[in-house]
Amino acid sequence: MKSFYNLTLDELTKELTSLSYSKYASSQIYDWVYRKKIDDFSLMSNVKKELRDYMSNTYSLNLPKIEKLEVSKDTTRKYLLKLEDDSMIEAVLMHHEYGTSLCVTSEVGCNMGCAFCASGLLKKTRNLETHEMVEEVLTVENESKEKVSHIVIMGTGEPLDNLDNVLKFIEIVNAPKGLEIGIRHITMSTCGIVPKIYELADMNLQINLAISLHAPTDDLRDRLMPINKAYKLKELIESVDYYFKKTGRRITFEYLLLDGVNDSLLYADKLADLIRGLNCCVNLIPYNQVSEFKYKTAKDDNVNAFYNQLKRRGINVTKRRKMGDDIDAACGQLRSKHDNNFNN
Ligand code: SAH
């Protein structure tokens, strides 16, 4: 049976009107599933009996099993979910002053191979289907009894490497009568697949785009992020400039501070030079240490000096709060531990 969660509101409306049902039927069903959280078509009392039967026979409303849930002292909730084919994925719920954000996984494993990232320890086995990303949101909302107000596509995987499914996911969670998560509350984070940034820019969506930069020179970035061997910083910055000119959306550069690797004032200056004139901001990210790697979290004094140097150079810069580090909330850590335990 097909998953209901693959259907955009438009697709459902087209299907139902082609079967001669009113175009409101699709909104009613969306409302039952996404707002009232009813996972049984037969209970949708304002929907015609015949249509309820059709939906029950055609679509499933299954959700993944929560294999493990860890709750941090700072209230961050990290879920390990088991998909139909037994693949394991992670989703992380975080509480902020501005709302509740969910960090969504887009692929099973990741092939980008960043030197510091736990996700790459388990190679990509497949893309996530649209419905599986929607299910991450619903499963977490059901378990936590909370409404997700913001989505960051920053879990395991590279969203621009699974763009069609990710775009459909965005359309579904943004739909009126559904979860209705504001388009400007959705952030996609990429390691920088340049041709896909142009493609996305031409779609002119109002999502937030975040670029995982982490190094301001090709030399260093080549070592930290293999994608840089394919697309050099100059090309990346040009694509980001194009993205801003097309969409009017300010770009965020994520910059992970690794002790003694990329956290010196020299690198802060090189970063300021690189992004000079772009309408952007820099988010300094504390590194969640991964036991398999030698990288260490940058020291507070160095983080502050780096931050102040960027400020002095006129760059919009913020420091990300560390969340959930007592529960392995950095990308891929829970899943890779689970697999290790499983394999030993
Ligand atoms: N592939 C996408 C999205 C997933 S990674 C991307 O590269 O942006 C999401 C962010 O987490 C990236 O900025 C990534 O570099 C960062 N990250 C990876 N491992 C981390 C760790 N151990 N601690 C902190 N951030 C990490």
Side-chain angles (χ1 to χ4, degrees), residues 107 112 158-162 190-200 211 221 227 230-231 236 239:
E107 299 177 333
M112 297 299 124
E158 169 49 51
L160 290 185
D161 193 27
N162 184 17
T190 175
C191 64
I193 304 183
V194 166
K196 294 281 176 184
I197 294 175
Y198 284 103
E199 212 180 292
L200 193 64
I211 306 284
R221 201 165 189 267
I227 190 71
Y231 308 109
L236 178 60
S239 73

Side-chain angles (χ1 to χ4, degrees), residues 116-117 154-155 157-158 189-191 212 214 254 256 287-288 330-331:
F116 46 80
C117 177
M154 284 190 191
E158 169 49 51
S189 175
T190 175
C191 64
S212 297
H214 307 331
E254 296 160 281
L256 198 57
Y287 182 55
N288 276 310
C331 325

Side-chain angles (χ1 to χ4, degrees), residues 137-169:
V137 185
L138 287 177
T139 307
V140 169
E141 284 199 343
N142 287 351
E143 190 286 326
S144 65
K145 310 270 185 298
E146 291 180 61
K147 172 87 186 89
V148 169
S149 61
H150 292 68
I151 285 187
V152 290
I153 308 172
M154 284 190 191
T156 302
E158 169 49 51
L160 290 185
D161 193 27
N162 184 17
L163 186 56
D164 291 347
N165 291 349
V166 167
L167 289 173
K168 208 170 159 193
F169 160 72

Side-chain angles (χ1 to χ4, degrees), residues 125-136:
T125 51
R126 64 176 177 87
N127 287 331
L128 280 196
E129 298 297 328
T130 297
H131 70 90
E132 292 172 318
M133 290 180 259
V134 176
E135 288 164 21
E136 291 180 56

Side-chain angles (χ1 to χ4, degrees), residues 74-303:
D74 67 18
T75 76
T76 298
R77 299 172 88 77
K78 176 144 185 168
Y79 298 80
L80 184 68
L81 305 177
K82 188 178 194 163
L83 306 179
E84 266 183 340
D85 66 351
D86 290 344
S87 294
M88 297 286 185
I89 58 164
E90 302 174 359
V92 182
L93 186 72
M94 291 162 288
H95 301 104
H96 307 277
E97 267 160 37
Y98 56 79
T100 300
S101 75
L102 185 67
C103 179
V104 168
T105 283
S106 58
E107 299 177 333
V108 181
C110 184
N111 275 343
M112 297 299 124
C114 298
F116 46 80
C117 177
S119 298
L121 290 171
L122 301 168
K123 285 278 160 249
K124 171 171 164 178
T125 51
R126 64 176 177 87
N127 287 331
L128 280 196
E129 298 297 328
T130 297
H131 70 90
E132 292 172 318
M133 290 180 259
V134 176
E135 288 164 21
E136 291 180 56
V137 185
L138 287 177
T139 307
V140 169
E141 284 199 343
N142 287 351
E143 190 286 326
S144 65
K145 310 270 185 298
E146 291 180 61
K147 172 87 186 89
V148 169
S149 61
H150 292 68
I151 285 187
V152 290
I153 308 172
M154 284 190 191
T156 302
E158 169 49 51
L160 290 185
D161 193 27
N162 184 17
L163 186 56
D164 291 347
N165 291 349
V166 167
L167 289 173
K168 208 170 159 193
F169 160 72
I170 292 173
E171 185 178 343
I172 291 172
V173 296
N174 175 239
K177 305 288 179 197
L179 295 169
E180 210 168 4
I181 297 170
I183 196 79
R184 290 174 173 227
H185 287 184
I186 300 175
T187 301
M188 192 190 291
S189 175
T190 175
C191 64
I193 304 183
V194 166
K196 294 281 176 184
I197 294 175
Y198 284 103
E199 212 180 292
L200 193 64
D202 287 335
M203 291 173 197
N204 202 2
L205 292 175
Q206 290 297 294
I207 58 168
N208 305 306
L209 184 66
I211 306 284
S212 297
L213 195 64
H214 307 331
T217 64
D218 281 322
D219 200 33
L220 180 59
R221 201 165 189 267
D222 278 350
R223 279 186 277 142
L224 294 177
M225 302 178 69
I227 190 71
N228 202 67
K229 294 187 179 138
Y231 308 109
K232 296 289 165 203
L233 279 169
K234 185 170 176 294
E235 295 170 72
L236 178 60
I237 297 297
E238 278 167 10
S239 73
V240 163
D241 191 34
Y242 179 83
Y243 188 92
F244 173 74
K245 287 185 176 133
K246 268 271 162 169
T247 64
R249 302 290 289 154
R250 189 168 82 164
I251 308 289
T252 301
F253 288 107
E254 296 160 281
Y255 195 98
L256 198 57
L257 286 162
L258 302 166
D259 185 39
V261 175
N262 64 354
D263 63 344
S264 67
L265 290 183
L266 189 68
Y267 279 121
D269 272 326
K270 285 185 188 290
L271 175 57
D273 293 341
L274 180 73
I275 62 178
R276 191 175 23 214
L278 282 180
N279 197 324
C280 66
C281 61
V282 172
N283 193 2
L284 299 176
I285 309 178
Y287 182 55
N288 276 310
Q289 282 173 211
V290 178
S291 55
E292 285 85 347
F293 302 135
K294 60 180 191 305
Y295 297 106
K296 298 269 176 282
T297 313
K299 298 183 180 71
D300 284 348
D301 284 353
N302 293 341
V303 174

